[in-house]
Amino acid sequence: MRENGYFCCAKALTLGKGQIDLAFRSLNRTFAFYSKRETYMVDIKVVNKSSHPLPGYATVLSAGMDLRANIPEPITLRPFERRLIPTGLYIALPPGFEAQVRPRSGLALKHGITVLNTPGTIDADYRGEVMVLLVNFSQEDFIVEDGERIAQMVVARHEQAKWEEVEILDETERGAGGYGHTGVK
């Protein structure tokens, strides 16, 4: 029923109904095992000065949490205008972590709204309000409403670099080729 830890769906086609039910229960247990096993939760201190709930994950395997606008009145973003939108959230990330502010795909596709400095990085020592730099790349006005989901935040581990000055770098197949060097096909 399993190949390399995963249920083989092709084999299910040759099974009876009871066997298929059993196989899918097994698949669900396997999925639950892997999703629990690979999930690491980090505690983050947060002050919520908004009237909205804390950001949360939409699904068990979501990477990002939606950030909401915390504004006293609607804000109109004109075409090609950019604005800092407050969230009412203040966070304290542990050392070795950052929060990345990223666009929401639906706003980008349907309305041309994106996060201008994507991903925006919130460092572990920043204690100010989490703000979202939105830009309107469409030809029409876009109205941001209070409580609207405007971006997503991904919390991620990171490393810090220590420079090692050298006179020459090692040779690679790619070399100095960049910006389209590998082609489009």
Side-chain angles (χ1 to χ4, degrees):
M1 287 290 164
R2 293 176 194 236
E3 292 181 11
N4 298 326
Y6 295 99
F7 176 74
C8 180
C9 292
K11 289 185 179 178
L13 297 176
T14 64
L15 303 176
K17 182 180 178 345
Q19 292 172 309
I20 291 174
D21 289 343
L22 179 64
F24 277 108
R25 282 197 301 274
S26 176
L27 173 63
N28 287 336
R29 282 194 305 276
T30 301
F31 178 75
F33 170 77
Y34 281 109
S35 63
K36 286 178 187 173
R37 186 170 153 242
E38 295 175 3
T39 301
Y40 174 76
M41 299 297 275
V42 59
D43 292 328
I44 299 174
K45 293 179 178 150
V46 60
V47 173
N48 185 0
K49 294 185 179 180
S50 79
S51 58
H52 309 295
L54 289 174
Y57 296 100
T59 68
V60 175
L61 298 179
S62 292
M65 300 177 272
D66 288 334
L67 295 174
R68 296 178 182 272
N70 184 51
I71 50 180
E73 57 191 38
I75 294 174
T76 300
L77 274 177
R78 308 236 182 271
F80 300 100
E81 183 181 10
R82 62 187 180 272
R83 295 279 295 271
L84 267 178
I85 309 295
T87 66
L89 301 174
Y90 301 76
I91 62 175
L93 295 162
F97 285 85
E98 66 164 326
Q100 300 171 3
V101 178
R102 301 178 180 186
R104 294 194 67 237
S105 58
L107 283 179
L109 176 65
K110 296 173 186 170
H111 304 286
I113 303 299
T114 191
V115 176
L116 193 55
N117 63 324
T118 188
T121 296
I122 301 170
D123 293 309
D125 57 353
Y126 176 70
R127 294 297 182 268
E129 183 175 9
V130 173
M131 306 284 276
V132 178
L133 181 55
L134 286 185
V135 63
N136 181 357
F137 282 135
S138 78
Q139 302 296 323
E140 299 175 12
D141 289 354
F142 180 79
I143 299 172
V144 179
E145 302 283 351
D146 182 48
E148 185 168 359
R149 296 177 298 155
I150 56 171
Q152 56 183 324
M153 182 172 66
V154 174
V155 175
R157 289 182 186 271
H158 70 83
E159 302 294 329
Q160 287 188 326
K162 182 178 101 180
W163 295 109
E164 178 186 346
E165 287 192 64
V166 296
E167 295 298 320
I168 191 166
L169 299 176
D170 60 319
E171 295 290 327
T172 67
E173 182 180 335
R174 182 176 187 159
Y179 293 103
H181 173 72
T182 59
V184 293
K185 293 187 179 193

